[in-house]
Every structure is written in C-alpha cells, then in structure tokens.
C-alpha cells in the first residue's frame, strides 16, 4: 500500500480522511493532458489505479509468476496463496459467507452471462418471464434477451419515471407468478440512480424468485454486504473499484451455484476426466475453467486493501458532498439540463446543453484537460426513455475534489462560448 493510504489506515478511519492527499497515490492523475493538469471525471467507465495496485500486479510478474492450483513448486504455491488470498479479501469485502461463493470472472458482463446461461437457461421455457428495469446497462439486458430467445421465455421491463427512477408500482405489478428471475442494477451507470434494492429483493423473495444485482457502479461508492442484502447473485468489476481490468467476480449463494452446471469446460474446473466421464471440481473452481487472470485477482485484492484503509463509509460521505456540490454548480450553467433527478444518487451525473451535441461537449472539455464520457453509456434504453441520442456524463471517485468541479464548470462555460 502506498504511504498516504497507509497513514490513513494507521489513523484508523479518523473523522475525515484527507482525500486531497490520496490523489498522490494515483500516478495517472499526476499528468498534464492537452497542456492542462488532468481532471479525470470518467470514473464510471473505469477508475484510476493506486500505486499499491500497480505494484501488486508488477510484483506478481516480477517475483511470483507461476500458474495457480497446478504446481508444487514454490512460485506456484506463492501465486496460489496470493490468488486465493484475493478471493478471501473479496469475500470479506462484500460479506459473503464462504469463498466457495466467490467466482472470479472477467468482470460484471461475464458474471451476468454466467448466471443467464448456467442458472436461468436450463430453468425456463415459453410462458416464463424474466424481470429487469428500464435503467439497465446493456450487460444486464442482452444476456437475458439471449436466454429468452433460446428458450421462448419473455423479458419484462419495469419502466422509469421522469426522474430516472424505476417505477416501483410497475416493478411490483410485473413481478408475477410467471416471473422466474429478476435482474436489477444496484446503481445506474447512466444516471447515477441508486435503486431501492432492499424493497426489490424483498418483493422477489416474497414470491420465491431469485434476484441478481449488477453491482458494477455500487462497490466503488458504498459499503455492500450481500448477506444483509440477501440477494442471490451479485456481479462486480474490479476496474470500476480501482483494481485491474479483465477481472471481476460473481457472488452466488452456495446452494444455487452448487445446483448449476458449469459455464465453460477446460482445465481446473474438473476433478477427474476420462473419455467416458468427467467429474467437476468443487465450488468455486467449477466455474473457473482455464488459467485465470492471476495478476488481475491479486491487483483486485490490493484495491480492496486500499479501499478498506480509507473506509467505505468515509468514501460515501465524501462523495455525497462532492456530488451535491457538482449538482449545485451544474444547475447554474444556462441551458444545461440534468438528465435524471433521482432522490438517491451515487457517482454519476448526466446532462445535456441546449444546442450542443454531447460529443462536442466531450471534445471541447477534453481540450481543457477534463475527461468525461459522452454517448449512450451502453444504456440505450435509458437514452430512449428521455428521447435523447446521448448525454454528457461526469462521474466521480473519492480522489476527486472541489477543484475538479470548478474545472468542469469552467470547461463547460468555455464550451458554451465556443457555440455562442
Ligand atoms: N459501464 C460505463 O462507462 P464490464 O465492462 O463487464 O466491466 O462492466 C459492464 C457494466 C455493467 N453494469 C454496469 C452498471 C456498468 O456500468 C458497466 C460498465 C461502463 O458506464 C462502461 S460501458
């Protein structure tokens, strides 16, 4: 862990960590872009990585590079210990009961596809329904559409209201005797809406319907406990939470994962293979065919250490204040319209400016060193709901500060002047 985060850890989550000092832990933040100090506000797309994560990945390749679960030699034992250590860190971080419930995947997308194909597909047929919401990322739409196409089941969508919140009356109405599965985002990437997942999970449970949460945008911003939530599956991506790309995980209740057939076949997911018969490995390895992303998992473990050293409650409070200040500032810009006004928001703010295409906004603010995302944010149905082709999105992490908000506001003023 880098020195700043260690110092903060040493102060044992003191009243208010000095978030400003934490920026120094992130080498990418310390650079000029187009002649300006980088102002990085595209954290919903991916977060920057602290030195401790970069070192953990480099250290694996420098000192311990070996395959896991396969060798009796020292390097393989070290690599296996670090890889499995990362699984244990993630288990603790999300409050799962056992490491058997933590399956490493490439990310949220693969975790959802795994559940769609290995859990749901064998269970449904014509007449059955899968319930999602109008707020979903394509990763939490297309895998369910594919299962529906493959089986004849139908996809039902709980619509949004004008604030960009799921209409709970619709959600409850669509949850019926035909519903076999529910999949909802914990936090929307396009609008920042925090879904009332407690109520949604309870409603699904009451009907005995399993529920998956897409947690890609929740884990960087808030404490998540899968046992408190009592969801059946939870999907996450390391790169959204300051870890490496190409690694993430599926949490699944052991009883459900046990009953599921493997998703892919290959090495490590078996206990015995002959040409006549193959017996599958225990959880979670049954779902981890082939050599995994060992360095990625170790990097994710380091990211979790880093987040724990700051404290997720501290992060949540800091970001709440920052997002509120950003909303106040943005609402002073003439012609700027916020897209979505959810009661509870985490991380992201979407907006448009009259007469300026979002892509032009993105290009002009980039010239001022400000990185935001523009487009449909892989959530085209959300854009369709608001009758827009695209929005501009500023998304925040704990290392952002008021100076970043000022930079964004000034760059947007500049943009308005260009088009005046
Ligand atoms: N959203 C964004 O800019 P992967 O690519 O598997 O790590 O994550 C997919 C994903 C799933 N669900 C949600 C809610 C997400 O936000 C994302 C990724 C990025 O908003 C890239 S499109």
């Amino acid at each position: 862990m880098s020195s700043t985060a260690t110092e903060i850890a040493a102060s044992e989550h003191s009243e208010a960590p000095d978030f400003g000092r934490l920026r120094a832990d992130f080498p990418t933040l310390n650079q000029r872009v187009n002649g300006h100090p980088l102002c990085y506000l595209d954290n919903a797309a991916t977060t920057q990585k602290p030195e401790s994560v970069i070192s953990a990945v480099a250290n694996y390749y420098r000192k311990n590079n070996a395959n896991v679960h396969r060798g009796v030699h020292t390097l393989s034992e070290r690599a296996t210990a670090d890889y499995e250590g990362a699984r244990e860190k993630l288990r603790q971080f999300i409050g799962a009961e056992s490491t058997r419930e933590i399956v490493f995947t490439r990310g949220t997308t693969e975790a959802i596809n795994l559940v769609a194909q290995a859990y749901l597909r064998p269970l449904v047929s014509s007449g059955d329904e899968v319930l999602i919401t109008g707020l979903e990322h394509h990763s939490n739409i297309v895998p369910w559409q594919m299962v529906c196409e493959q089986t004849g089941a139908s996809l039902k969508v709980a619509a949004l209201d004008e604030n960009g919140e799921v209409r709970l009356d619709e959600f409850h109405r669509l949850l019926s005797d035909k519903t076999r599965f529910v999949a909802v985002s914990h936090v929307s990437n396009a609008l920042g809406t925090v879904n009332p997942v407690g109520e949604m999970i309870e409603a699904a449970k009451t009907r005995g319907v399993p529920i998956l949460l897409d947690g890609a945008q929740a884990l960087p911003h808030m404490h998540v406990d899968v046992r408190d939530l009592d969801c059946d599956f939870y999907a996450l991506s390391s790169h959204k939470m300051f870890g490496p790309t190409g690694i993430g995980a599926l949490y699944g209740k052991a009883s459900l994962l046990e009953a599921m057939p493997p998703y892919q076949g290959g090495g490590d997911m078996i206990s015995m293979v002959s040409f006549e018969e193959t017996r599958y490995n225990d959880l979670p390895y049954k779902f981890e065919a082939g050599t995994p992303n060992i360095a990625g998992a170790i990097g994710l473990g380091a990211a979790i250490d880093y987040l724990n050293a700051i404290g997720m409650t501290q992060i949540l409070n800091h970001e709440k204040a920052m997002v509120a200040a950003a909303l106040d500032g943005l609402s002073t810009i003439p012609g700027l319209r916020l897209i979505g006004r959810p009661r509870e928001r985490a991380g992201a703010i979407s907006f448009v400016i009259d007469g300026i295409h979002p892509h032009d906004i993105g290009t002009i603010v980039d010239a001022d060193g400000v990185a935001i995302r523009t487009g449909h944010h892989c959530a085209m149905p959300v854009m369709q709901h608001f009758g827009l082709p695209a929005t501009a999105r500023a998304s925040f992490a704990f290392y952002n500060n008021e100076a970043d908000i000022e930079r964004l506001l000034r760059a947007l003023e500049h943009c308005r002047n260009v088009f005046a």
Side-chain angles (χ1 to χ4, degrees):
M1 190 181 301
S2 58
S3 57
T4 326
T6 312
E7 281 164 30
I8 287 189
S11 69
E12 266 309 306
H13 304 182
S14 57
E15 282 287 294
D18 184 351
F19 283 95
R21 282 163 65 211
L22 292 178
R23 274 172 97 92
D25 290 343
F26 293 79
T28 36
L29 294 178
N30 182 24
Q31 65 176 300
R32 295 180 85 81
V33 169
N34 297 323
H36 303 271
L38 173 63
C39 170
Y40 187 77
L41 294 173
D42 194 16
N43 294 288
T46 199
T47 51
Q48 300 303 338
K49 320 305 173 202
E51 195 64 64
S52 59
V53 167
I54 299 166
S55 306
V57 172
N59 188 57
Y60 163 72
Y61 284 124
R62 285 217 174 92
K63 297 196 181 139
N64 300 332
N65 181 50
N67 215 325
V68 290
H69 307 142
R70 286 160 173 85
V72 290
H73 62 80
T74 303
L75 258 55
S76 178
E77 283 180 356
R78 278 192 218 149
T80 303
D82 288 351
Y83 179 73
E84 291 304 328
R87 198 190 306 273
E88 170 59 17
K89 286 176 189 177
L90 182 56
R91 179 199 74 73
Q92 285 183 24
F93 191 66
I94 63 170
E97 194 171 343
S98 158
T99 49
R100 297 171 71 239
E101 300 179 316
I102 306 288
V103 178
F104 281 127
T105 62
R106 283 192 292 124
T108 302
T109 303
E110 190 178 47
I112 296 174
N113 277 278
L114 193 166
V115 177
Q117 290 300 317
Y119 177 78
L120 193 61
R121 188 176 173 182
L123 289 185
V124 289
S125 57
S126 170
D128 293 333
E129 294 178 357
V130 181
L131 176 59
I132 62 170
T133 81
L135 205 51
E136 304 309 319
H137 184 279
H138 298 164
S139 291
N140 205 24
I141 301 173
V142 184
W144 310 116
Q145 277 175 331
M146 288 165 66
V147 169
C148 289
E149 258 171 42
Q150 288 156 346
T151 62
S154 311
L155 190 68
K156 296 287 165 188
V157 183
L160 301 184
D161 66 16
E162 65 284 1
N163 294 320
E165 294 189 326
V166 177
R167 282 185 48 189
L168 282 175
D169 56 335
E170 277 289 282
F171 182 84
H172 289 292
R173 187 181 65 77
L174 290 170
L175 193 56
S176 76
D177 291 345
K178 294 182 187 164
T179 313
R180 294 286 165 268
F181 200 78
V182 179
V184 298
S185 49
H186 195 166
V187 174
S188 154
N189 70 314
L191 307 179
T193 310
V194 181
N195 267 325
V197 290
E199 180 173 340
M200 291 164 144
I201 292 168
E202 200 183 318
K205 295 272 125 188
T206 306
R207 289 193 168 267
V209 181
I211 180 163
L212 172 143
L213 296 192
D214 169 351
Q217 299 292 348
L219 279 168
H221 305 295
M222 61 188 68
H223 174 66
V224 170
D225 186 305
V226 291
R227 262 185 293 176
D228 276 358
L229 285 168
D230 199 19
C231 57
D232 297 285
F233 297 103
Y234 199 94
L236 62 102
S237 292
S238 147
H239 73 102
K240 311 270 194 214
M241 46 191 287
F242 316 97
T245 53
I247 183 85
L250 171 70
Y251 157 79
K253 284 190 175 161
S255 56
L256 297 177
L257 293 175
E258 289 279 12
M260 285 159 59
Y263 176 47
Q264 294 175 334
D268 223 23
M269 52 76 72
I270 52 86
S271 62
M272 194 286 296
V273 177
S274 72
F275 287 120
E276 289 70 40
E277 186 203 4
T278 289
R279 284 200 289 273
Y280 303 131
N281 205 341
D282 296 331
L283 292 179
Y285 311 111
K286 180 171 85 169
F287 296 108
E288 292 181 6
T291 300
N293 183 351
I294 303 163
I298 292 169
L300 171 59
I304 290 170
D305 287 341
Y306 190 90
L307 287 170
N308 281 335
I310 306 169
M312 293 311 295
T313 308
Q314 305 279 21
I315 288 176
L316 181 70
N317 292 339
H318 171 72
E319 289 188 8
K320 269 195 170 158
M322 191 166 46
V323 168
L327 285 168
D328 282 350
L330 288 169
S331 38
T332 63
I333 296 187
L336 185 145
R337 186 156 51 95
L338 294 172
I339 303 303
R341 290 176 176 274
R343 274 163 296 184
E344 214 188 321
R345 181 196 291 272
I349 303 176
S350 255
F351 59 90
V352 292
I353 300 180
D354 288 345
I356 313 179
H357 193 282
H359 288 314
D360 291 331
I361 300 177
T363 307
I364 292 170
V365 303
D366 178 57
D368 291 343
V370 178
I372 60 170
R373 184 172 172 187
T374 59
H376 53 63
H377 315 296
C378 301
M380 282 188 182
V382 175
M383 302 295 116
Q384 287 152 12
H385 172 74
F386 286 100
L388 296 165
T391 68
R393 181 189 70 183
S395 55
F396 297 84
F398 61 80
Y399 44 61
N400 293 121
N401 55 27
E402 282 183 13
D404 291 320
I405 298 171
E406 265 312 303
R407 291 278 308 281
L408 172 67
L409 299 180
R410 266 191 280 133
L412 292 174
E413 280 299 350
H414 176 202
C415 184
R416 283 184 64 249
N417 292 337
V418 170
F419 280 86

